[in-house]
Amino acid sequence: MSDRSAHRCPRARVGFTAIEMVVVLGIIMLLASMSLPGLLGALRKGRISDAASSIMNASSIATGLARSGQASPMRYGVVVVVDDGLPSYVAVTYGLDATRATILTDGGAPAKPVCRIPFNRNVVVFDGNVPMTSNKGWQYQSRTGFPIQTGSPMVPTNIGAVPDAPFSVRSLDDQVRVGIAIYSIGVANAQEF
C-alpha cells in the first residue's frame, strides 16, 4: 500500500438520504393537511363576499344612473339572473322592467352589457329561505334613486330588508351566508347572518 491511499480524505457527503427526504415530505404533508380546512373556508367566504359586493356594485351603478337621469317611463334597475347549469350573475338594466331582456348594453355590435358580473358556481342566491329559481329584479326612480319593485307603482320600498326572509347569497353547503338589503332611501347593505 502506498502512503497516498492511506491518507485519503473522506469525501464530503452530497445530497440527502432517502430517510431525510421522507421525513421532510411527511412534515410538508402534515402542515398542508392542517392548513387546508382554513384555506377552503377562506375561499368559500371570499366567493360569497364577491357575490354580495357584485350585487351592491350593480345597485350603486344603477342608483347613480337613475339619479343623473331625466324623468321618463324608462328606469335603471338591477337584475339577478339565475340560470340552471350556468353561473348566476347580476346586471344593470334599463327599460320598463328589471329583467334579463332589458339588460343595459353599450349599443355596439355585438352589444355588450355595461355591467354584468358573474358569480362563482359555488354561490347560491336565495330569496327568503328558498333558493331562487327565477330572476329577481328591481328598479330605481329617476332623479331620486329610490328603489321600487319591478311592476309596482312608484312607491319606494325595501328590497330584501325583512329580517326573517332576506335576499341573500350563500355557499353551497350553507355555511356562509350574506344577507343583502336595499333600503327605500337607496342605500345598500350586506351583512353575514
Side-chain angles (χ1 to χ4, degrees):
M1 231 168 69
S2 75
D3 285 337
R4 284 188 141 195
S5 62
H7 295 293
R8 272 197 184 162
C9 295
R11 290 182 108 191
R13 193 174 90 169
V14 179
F16 297 102
T17 65
I19 298 220
E20 290 171 332
M21 290 298 287
V22 168
V23 169
V24 169
L25 288 175
I27 291 170
I28 290 172
M29 289 174 51
L30 178 67
L31 291 173
S33 67
M34 289 171 47
S35 64
L36 191 60
L39 180 63
L40 292 177
L43 287 172
R44 184 182 317 126
K45 193 171 185 173
R47 289 179 190 131
I48 302 307
S49 255
D50 285 348
S53 292
S54 297
I55 293 170
M56 293 183 56
N57 287 341
S59 174
S60 177
I61 291 168
T63 302
L65 290 169
R67 285 183 178 152
S68 66
Q70 300 298 316
S72 101
M74 305 291 266
R75 298 184 289 266
Y76 291 99
V78 175
V79 64
V80 177
V81 178
V82 179
D83 280 332
D84 287 335
L86 297 172
S88 302
Y89 62 90
V90 63
V92 173
T93 64
Y94 180 71
L96 296 174
D97 291 345
T99 63
R100 183 183 201 168
T102 60
I103 291 175
L104 181 64
T105 61
D106 61 3
K112 295 179 184 169
V114 170
C115 176
R116 180 186 182 277
I117 309 167
F119 303 149
N120 187 287
R121 287 187 182 273
N122 297 321
V123 171
V124 180
V125 184
F126 277 69
D127 193 6
N129 290 319
V130 180
M132 280 180 37
T133 55
S134 62
N135 304 333
K136 180 178 182 75
W138 61 93
Q139 295 179 298
Y140 293 93
Q141 291 180 1
S142 296
R143 296 188 182 152
T144 65
F146 294 160
I148 55 175
Q149 292 281 3
T150 299
S152 71
M154 297 285 282
V155 177
T157 184
N158 291 331
I159 297 166
V162 180
D164 60 342
F167 173 54
S168 63
V169 288
R170 303 179 187 189
S171 60
L172 283 176
D173 61 3
D174 206 23
Q175 295 293 314
V176 180
R177 307 179 200 178
V178 174
I180 299 164
I182 313 294
Y183 295 105
S184 59
I185 57 173
V187 175
N189 184 30
Q191 185 173 350
E192 280 191 50
F193 67 99

